[in-house]
Amino acid sequence: LESGVDFPIVCEVCLGPNPYIRMIKQVNHKECKVSGRIFNSFRWRPGSEARYKETVISPEVARAKGVCQCCLMDMEYNLPVGVRDALLRDGAAKEELPQSGVNQSYYYDQIAKQSREDVEAGYGKMSSDKLMKMARSSPYYDRNLPKLCSFWLKGACSRVVEGSCPFRPCCGTFRFPELASSYQDLHRKLKDMLEKDGAIKVMREKSTEVEEIKEKLKESQRGSRDQNIRDRYHGTDQLTSKYIDKADKMDVEPPADKEVKTLYVGTMGVNVSDKDLRDKFYAYGEILNINFAPNSNAAFVTYTERSAAEEAIAKLHGNLVVNGMKLKIMWGKSARKYGQQTDGGGPG
C-alpha cells in the first residue's frame, strides 16, 4: 500500500478519535487546489458529531511541505505550516516554491519520484524550543465540527424547525471556535443563550447583542475557500499571522529566573562588531559583557541589572537594525543551566 495513492496523507485530528473509519476513494477525481494536479481523492467522516472531510491537495504537494492533505496543518506539530517554517528558519530568508506552471509541474514530478523518507528529510527531524512549546500536545477535534449554517446566521433556516439541518448550531452543536480565540465573552454569551433558549429562538432574536455575534461569525466565513487553502499552504493566512504574533510575544516575555540578564541577538552578519552592538544597547543600562558566537551568527548581551535587559528588549524587539540589517532579539538562557559559571546561554 502506498500513502497518497491507496490511503491519504492526513493528520491525527482529521482522522478523528475513532480508530475505525470508512473512507470513500475516488480515482483521479479531484484537482489539487494548490498545483492543479489530478489525484485520487478520499472522503470520510471522522466522528458522529463531525462533518464529512475530504482531501484538497495532491500527495506530492502535501509531502513537499510535510502537511495534511485535508487541513494543511503540519503533520508533526499540528501547527500551521507557515508557523513551523518561520520558527525553523529563525529569521533566514523564506524558501520560495515554483510558481509558474512548467516549473511547478517539474518540481512536484520530482517529489513524486522520491521516496517519502528522502522528501521528509528536509523538515521531519528539525525542531526548536519555541516550536516545541507551541506544538499541540493533544488533538484539537473542534476542527472537525459541522460547518456554520449560513441561513441560520441570516435568520432564515427552515430546516432547523424540522430538526433536519446538519450545520451548526441547528444540529445541536453549540461550540464555536471562530469566536473562542478572539471573542471569548461573545462566545460564552452565545453558548448560554443557545443552551437556554435553543437554536430556533436565538435565530429569530433581533437584539443588538445577537446581531453583533452573528456579524462576527459571518466575518469568519468571508473569502474564497480555494484562496484560503492556497494561503494556508504558503503561510500567508490570518491564522499563521496570529500564531507568529504569539511566538514573537514569547520572545519578549521575561523568564521566571530573575538572575537572567542576557539578551540573545541573532541573524547577524560578519560586519556586526562589538561597538555596533554597544551603540544600540548602552542607552538602556550598564553592559556587563558582549559575547559573540560566530558559528551561529549570534551574540549575547549581558547587563548588570535585570531591569535594563527588560527595557532593552521592550524597546528593541522588532526594531533592532544594525548596519542596515534587521536583527532578531530575545531572552537568553542562564548559562548556569548548562553547568557554566557566567550568563550567556542560547536563546530562550
Side-chain angles (χ1 to χ4, degrees):
L1 295 177
E2 183 181 351
S3 63
V5 177
D6 301 302
F7 54 89
I9 302 171
V10 289
C11 63
E12 183 181 359
V13 174
C14 290
L15 285 175
N18 190 341
Y20 304 102
I21 59 174
R22 179 179 297 172
M23 284 190 178
I24 301 172
K25 174 185 175 182
Q26 294 175 295
V27 178
N28 295 334
H29 177 257
K30 275 196 172 291
E31 181 180 297
C32 176
K33 300 294 185 183
V34 174
S35 67
R37 299 168 70 90
I38 303 300
F39 68 101
N40 295 347
S41 69
F42 295 84
R43 190 171 186 264
W44 69 96
R45 192 178 186 187
S48 58
E49 295 185 353
R51 68 180 186 273
Y52 278 95
K53 307 198 77 172
E54 62 181 2
T55 52
V56 296
I57 61 174
S58 68
E60 298 84 19
V61 173
R63 283 200 190 99
K65 282 205 170 187
V67 298
C68 172
Q69 277 188 269
C70 181
C71 67
L72 278 72
M73 289 288 194
D74 174 71
M75 294 286 285
E76 183 174 355
Y77 302 103
N78 201 10
L79 291 169
V81 64
V83 177
R84 180 204 68 190
D85 291 346
L87 295 181
L88 289 179
R89 287 196 313 269
D90 194 27
K94 182 178 180 180
E95 181 181 355
E96 298 292 343
L97 295 178
Q99 298 297 318
S100 68
V102 176
N103 289 340
Q104 194 177 79
S105 178
Y106 176 79
Y107 176 77
Y108 291 122
D109 282 344
Q110 299 307 304
I111 293 291
K113 293 176 183 178
Q114 297 178 37
S115 67
R116 187 183 68 178
E117 291 75 14
D118 290 339
V119 175
E120 292 178 352
Y123 53 80
K125 302 300 181 183
M126 295 188 294
S127 183
S128 69
D129 290 344
K130 197 187 301 185
L131 190 58
M132 296 301 296
K133 289 177 184 177
M134 298 190 69
R136 285 191 176 275
S137 57
S138 59
Y140 181 63
Y141 292 125
D142 276 3
R143 288 214 305 265
N144 300 336
L145 289 174
K147 295 182 179 180
L148 284 170
C149 179
S150 58
F151 288 97
W152 185 88
L153 293 176
K154 298 174 184 176
C157 183
S158 58
R159 291 194 291 177
V160 65
V161 180
E162 304 166 358
S164 60
C165 182
F167 304 113
R168 289 180 290 145
C170 309
C171 63
T173 300
F174 300 152
R175 301 203 299 278
F176 301 91
E178 299 89 352
L179 297 175
S181 59
S182 302
Y183 307 102
Q184 296 180 4
D185 291 340
L186 296 180
H187 181 237
R188 194 181 310 109
K189 290 177 183 177
L190 179 58
K191 283 187 64 176
D192 292 343
M193 286 188 288
L194 287 168
E195 291 171 356
K196 179 182 178 182
D197 302 325
I200 299 175
K201 186 174 181 180
V202 176
M203 178 184 71
R204 294 170 176 168
E205 179 68 46
K206 299 297 183 183
S207 68
T208 304
E209 187 175 52
V210 172
E211 290 300 317
E212 180 187 2
I213 293 174
K214 288 183 178 179
E215 187 59 35
K216 296 297 183 186
L217 289 173
K218 289 177 184 177
E219 288 177 4
S220 69
Q221 303 302 298
R222 293 191 178 115
S224 165
R225 178 174 179 265
D226 290 356
Q227 185 59 49
N228 289 340
I229 290 172
R230 288 189 286 271
D231 290 345
R232 173 65 57 80
Y233 185 78
H234 294 296
T236 57
D237 61 311
Q238 291 183 352
L239 182 62
T240 297
S241 300
K242 186 182 294 186
Y243 270 94
I244 291 177
D245 289 342
K246 181 179 178 181
D248 288 341
K249 290 178 181 177
M250 290 172 61
D251 293 340
V252 181
E253 185 177 352
D257 184 1
K258 297 294 184 182
E259 295 300 315
V260 177
K261 306 168 189 175
T262 299
L263 301 179
Y264 167 87
V265 182
T267 64
M268 296 195 315
V270 294
N271 296 326
V272 178
S273 66
D274 182 283
K275 182 178 183 302
D276 293 330
L277 292 182
R278 287 186 183 275
D279 289 344
K280 290 290 182 179
F281 285 91
Y282 84 97
Y284 306 102
E286 183 181 354
I287 297 174
L288 180 64
N289 58 58
I290 297 179
N291 295 321
F292 283 81
N295 293 336
S296 303
N297 287 329
F300 301 92
V301 180
T302 303
Y303 284 93
T304 57
E305 300 292 336
R306 167 64 172 252
S307 58
E310 291 178 358
E311 183 180 359
I313 196 169
K315 296 289 179 61
L316 295 176
H317 185 265
N319 302 309
L320 180 57
V321 179
V322 178
N323 295 337
M325 294 182 296
K326 188 171 183 178
L327 307 186
K328 181 177 181 179
I329 179 173
M330 58 193 295
W331 283 97
K333 292 179 180 177
S334 174
R336 283 191 292 274
K337 196 172 185 178
Y338 301 95
Q340 300 172 10
Q341 299 298 316
T342 59
D343 285 348

